[in-house]
Amino acid sequence: DANGARKIGPQFDTARAFVDGRAAVEVDGYWTFVRPDGSLLRAPEFDEVADFAGGLAAVVVDGKTGYIDREGATVWLPRD
């Protein structure tokens, strides 16, 4: 927009604000992230996501919690 904010199109059911260079978006009940240019980081596959912080975001798939980095790589962590 006129203030320099990027807007993403209506192809997403829900969209959060950009944090740490990525925005969480929901498509058909699954979450992923978009880059500032609006391109998807990965296909929508996450049941839940947290916003990025320090280059990582917590994600949940099928009850497994892990982290995704800003390039889309994931590291699964064992549940406590």
Side-chain angles (χ1 to χ4, degrees):
D1 66 12
N3 296 319
R6 300 201 52 103
K7 293 187 179 189
I8 54 177
Q11 69 269 29
F12 307 117
D13 300 326
T14 304
R16 296 185 193 159
F18 280 89
V19 176
D20 201 14
R22 302 291 183 259
V25 295
E26 183 184 19
V27 180
D28 296 329
Y30 293 98
W31 289 87
T32 189
F33 296 90
V34 293
R35 297 174 183 92
D37 67 4
S39 64
L40 294 178
L41 188 62
R42 293 173 63 138
E45 63 183 309
F46 303 114
D47 300 321
E48 299 176 47
V49 297
D51 291 332
F52 273 88
L56 297 174
V59 296
V60 177
V61 175
D62 296 329
K64 296 177 184 175
T65 302
Y67 289 90
I68 186 170
D69 70 17
R70 291 174 32 88
E71 300 307 315
T74 357
V75 178
W76 294 109
L77 301 176
R79 295 194 93 152
D80 292 337

